[in-house]
Amino acid sequence: MKINILTILAALLLTFSCSEDFLDRQPLDEVSSGNYWATSSDAVNAVNNCYRYLGDSWYRIFLSAATDDSYSWSNWPADVQFAGNGSATSSLGYFSHFWSQHYNTIAAANNVLDNIDQVPSMDEELRNRLKAEARVIRAYAYQQLIGMYGDVPLITSIQTTDEFNVSRTPKAEVVDFIVQDLEEAADILPESYGSSDQGRVTKGAALALEARVLLYDERWSEAIDVASEVMGLNYSIDGDYLSLFDGTNKNSPEIILAAQYIKNTYPTASATWLGAPSLGGWGQVIPLKSLVDTYECRDGLTIEESPMYDPENPFENRDPRLELTVIVPGTEVNGITIDITNPNSIDRLGQNNASYSGYYYKKGVPADIEGSWDSNSYNDEVLIRYAEILLIYAEAKVQSGEIDQSVYDAINEVRGRAGVEMPAITSTEAGSQEALMEVIRRERRVEFALEEHRFFDIRRWEIAEDVMPGTALGIYNNFDDSRGDFGEFVRVEERQFNPDRDYLWAIPVNELSINPNLEQNPNW
């Protein structure tokens, strides 16, 4: 996907600045009053402003550390560690950030939808398309909010002062609103754009997001139908998995929606958060043993079952996505060898900014790292891609009891990616609903590692209480006898998960203090 719209977007960052207060707390007068809505360019620029909220690399990249996949050793810029280990309180900054971020997104979209009809002499096709783009971006924000907080206020227009103290809307109503918005937007949006508009929301993005929402809401039949519609569009599995995330393949036919960045103009700090010290990074978000152990061996069997698995050489004969995702000792990244077992390496255990687990992420580290720590990257954040649609289709079919060859075909299209080419799943080894769901859960975990899916998956499947508590472990230390954990797996941290509380995040305490009509989630 190209990034033309962000050239304009970067220039708008100051013009469209928003506060972190609840639902913006004011009706964005700076862009909705006076003579702003005078030209088509005004309308386009206001929609461009909505796109900037899709980018959240300083916080979204840390979401994996709130799951059993990853750990974050620092509480700056994101104090996600407390959400990951179960010690968070309702005043956690990470909870407050996402609430504000998504409601700022909603406010920006509502500003467009409330005012764009003021623009005179505007091409109606363009006007309707821009409205549809804003509705999809707003829908994405609501999808995230209900997955994190459950019931949330449904705000569909710019609030007046009298409307600030709103109550939470039942999640089911918000889901219905999202689905309707996306259905109507998909009828308007084009399947693709010309070169000057590449990167904007498409029909496929609206439908893909709808399929996700329907799956999460267990509306299996509808999810099957919508995912099937996306599967009929012009998307495909890309043969270069790593390139989807390192900034070298922004135009991939697999990417359906991405938050986009521009070198020097609109950069990110992803190399800092993910990179090993040898790459100039701080190793803040790192993989855990539980993720590494999930990758199958090349014969398609788990490490507990496969005769190919060798505990003495645990990274050999594994699903190729393991070494495309995780830096194991001796992995080369951007021409630099990362080996935490080397006693002279700045990447080794115990060094400044080095991994606490002995693993680093390779996926998400940009191929081009240049600039200061806070602006050294411009690889995009992939929000929706075609692999997700295939696995949405497969899961919805299995959950509805419609197990047929199309289920296996969808799963195997993901597993058969060039460069990955894992053995096909057949009815012989996975013929039952239970067996297929086990395959799908494992496939989603390894395919989407470091993307946002694991956070929502372990909650909607209600397995977080099983996978989160206990000791988070890292690599087996058979290389540094100066450490107390020599001959053991590195202990990263102790975690707990309260199923009566932690399936939903707390409504930020500062929001409760300024809105008496908000109610807190249970046991926070």
Side-chain angles (χ1 to χ4, degrees), residues 68 441 454 457-469 497 503:
D68 52 336
R441 288 183 179 187
R454 185 68 177 171
D457 283 350
I458 63 175
R459 283 161 172 77
R460 66 186 180 90
W461 293 330
E462 296 185 349
I463 63 171
E465 61 199 83
D466 301 317
V467 302
M468 288 300 295
F497 186 91
Y503 275 106

Side-chain angles (χ1 to χ4, degrees), residues 320-508:
R321 285 174 293 186
L322 172 56
E323 292 198 27
L324 293 173
T325 302
V326 177
I327 296 175
V328 301
T331 299
E332 184 177 292
V333 183
N334 299 346
I336 297 172
T337 298
I338 311 296
D339 187 355
I340 62 102
T341 68
N342 181 347
N344 298 314
S345 173
I346 62 173
D347 304 314
R348 71 187 188 276
L349 291 167
Q351 295 303 291
N352 188 43
N353 292 338
S355 171
Y356 278 58
S357 71
Y359 297 115
Y360 297 93
Y361 277 108
K362 184 175 184 180
K363 178 180 178 179
V365 174
D368 184 359
I369 301 174
E370 181 182 331
S372 64
W373 66 270
D374 60 344
S375 57
N376 56 14
S377 314
Y378 61 99
N379 50 323
D380 297 343
E381 295 173 73
V382 178
L383 304 180
I384 308 176
R385 55 188 176 93
Y386 186 56
E388 180 187 356
I389 300 306
L390 293 169
L391 295 181
I392 285 174
Y393 174 83
E395 182 177 346
K397 289 276 285 187
V398 171
Q399 294 281 29
S400 66
E402 299 179 28
I403 299 174
D404 55 27
Q405 187 57 42
S406 69
V407 172
Y408 298 96
D409 291 344
I411 296 170
N412 291 330
E413 190 171 347
V414 178
R415 290 172 64 86
R417 181 193 305 273
V420 173
E421 297 160 340
M422 287 294 290
I425 300 297
T426 69
S427 59
T428 301
E429 66 266 18
S432 68
Q433 184 181 56
E434 182 181 5
L436 273 168
M437 278 307 302
E438 183 179 347
V439 167
I440 290 168
R441 288 183 179 187
R442 184 165 58 248
E443 195 64 27
R444 284 184 65 93
R445 188 176 187 185
V446 301
E447 175 68 21
F448 301 132
L450 198 60
E451 300 172 61
E452 65 188 32
H453 303 285
R454 185 68 177 171
F455 175 84
F456 297 104
D457 283 350
I458 63 175
R459 283 161 172 77
R460 66 186 180 90
W461 293 330
E462 296 185 349
I463 63 171
E465 61 199 83
D466 301 317
V467 302
M468 288 300 295
T471 306
L473 297 173
I475 200 167
Y476 186 73
N477 177 18
N478 59 357
F479 50 84
D480 187 351
D481 60 9
S482 69
R483 292 174 55 96
D485 53 20
F486 182 68
E488 301 174 0
F489 289 101
V490 173
R491 293 174 176 266
V492 178
E493 73 167 349
E494 295 298 321
R495 291 179 159 186
Q496 57 187 350
F497 186 91
N498 181 355
D500 296 325
R501 186 193 73 165
D502 294 335
Y503 275 106
L504 293 176
W505 278 356
I507 305 300

Side-chain angles (χ1 to χ4, degrees), residues 94-385:
Y94 203 62
F95 295 165
S96 182
H97 168 80
F98 281 106
W99 182 276
S100 296
Q101 173 76 3
H102 293 313
Y103 273 113
N104 282 336
T105 307
I106 291 162
N110 285 342
N111 181 58
V112 170
L113 295 168
D114 281 6
N115 291 291
I116 194 170
D117 286 339
Q118 297 179 33
V119 180
S121 304
M122 185 177 180
D123 178 80
E124 287 304 308
E125 183 176 351
L126 174 61
R127 192 194 310 268
N128 290 333
R129 194 203 81 199
L130 292 174
K131 287 182 182 179
E133 291 178 52
R135 292 171 81 179
V136 174
I137 294 170
R138 180 176 66 181
Y140 176 80
Y142 274 121
Q143 179 264 310
Q144 299 280 297
L145 283 166
I146 60 176
M148 293 172 173
Y149 307 97
D151 300 344
V152 296
L154 180 59
I155 309 299
T156 61
S157 61
I158 296 173
Q159 297 168 284
T160 65
T161 304
D162 294 337
E163 297 171 322
F164 281 164
N165 294 331
V166 292
S167 302
R168 297 169 67 180
T169 304
K171 178 181 175 180
E173 292 182 27
V174 181
V175 169
D176 287 342
F177 175 81
I178 295 171
V179 169
Q180 180 177 344
D181 247 12
L182 292 173
E183 286 178 348
E184 293 176 1
D187 287 339
I188 295 169
L189 290 165
E191 292 185 20
S192 61
Y193 292 91
S195 58
S196 63
D197 282 317
Q198 289 297 312
R200 307 192 83 92
V201 171
T202 60
K203 177 185 184 74
L207 292 172
L209 182 57
E210 182 185 359
R212 177 193 290 180
V213 171
L214 292 168
L215 180 80
Y216 286 10
D217 201 46
E218 300 185 357
R219 291 159 65 168
W220 312 128
S221 179
E222 294 170 86
I224 293 167
D225 290 343
V226 177
S228 297
E229 192 171 351
V230 181
M231 290 160 67
L233 300 176
N234 194 31
Y235 299 108
S236 61
I237 294 295
D238 199 296
D240 191 344
Y241 180 78
L242 195 61
S243 73
L244 299 173
F245 313 101
D246 68 5
T248 63
N249 194 9
K250 292 171 179 271
N251 297 308
S252 172
E254 185 170 343
I255 297 174
I256 298 176
L257 181 65
Q260 304 170 319
Y261 298 94
I262 304 173
K263 186 175 183 178
N264 300 324
T265 303
Y266 192 55
T268 77
S270 61
T272 297
W273 312 139
L274 297 177
S278 291
L279 298 169
W282 298 353
Q284 282 191 238
V285 182
I286 55 171
L288 294 171
K289 176 181 181 291
S290 60
L291 172 62
V292 173
D293 287 353
T294 305
Y295 291 84
E296 299 167 355
C297 291
R298 286 308 308 260
D299 57 7
L301 299 176
T302 65
I303 62 173
E304 293 82 12
E305 302 167 324
S306 175
M308 299 182 73
Y309 180 69
D310 178 5
E312 299 297 320
N313 299 285
F315 312 119
E316 294 183 3
N317 301 315
R318 302 289 292 279
D319 181 334
R321 285 174 293 186
L322 172 56
E323 292 198 27
L324 293 173
T325 302
V326 177
I327 296 175
V328 301
T331 299
E332 184 177 292
V333 183
N334 299 346
I336 297 172
T337 298
I338 311 296
D339 187 355
I340 62 102
T341 68
N342 181 347
N344 298 314
S345 173
I346 62 173
D347 304 314
R348 71 187 188 276
L349 291 167
Q351 295 303 291
N352 188 43
N353 292 338
S355 171
Y356 278 58
S357 71
Y359 297 115
Y360 297 93
Y361 277 108
K362 184 175 184 180
K363 178 180 178 179
V365 174
D368 184 359
I369 301 174
E370 181 182 331
S372 64
W373 66 270
D374 60 344
S375 57
N376 56 14
S377 314
Y378 61 99
N379 50 323
D380 297 343
E381 295 173 73
V382 178
L383 304 180
I384 308 176
R385 55 188 176 93

Side-chain angles (χ1 to χ4, degrees), residues 20 55-64 76-80 93-98 101 273 285 381:
E20 288 275 313
D56 193 18
S57 67
W58 278 51
Y59 288 86
R60 185 184 289 121
I61 206 167
F62 288 83
L63 194 60
S64 179
W76 186 89
D79 52 1
V80 67
Y94 203 62
F95 295 165
S96 182
H97 168 80
F98 281 106
Q101 173 76 3
W273 312 139
V285 182
E381 295 173 73

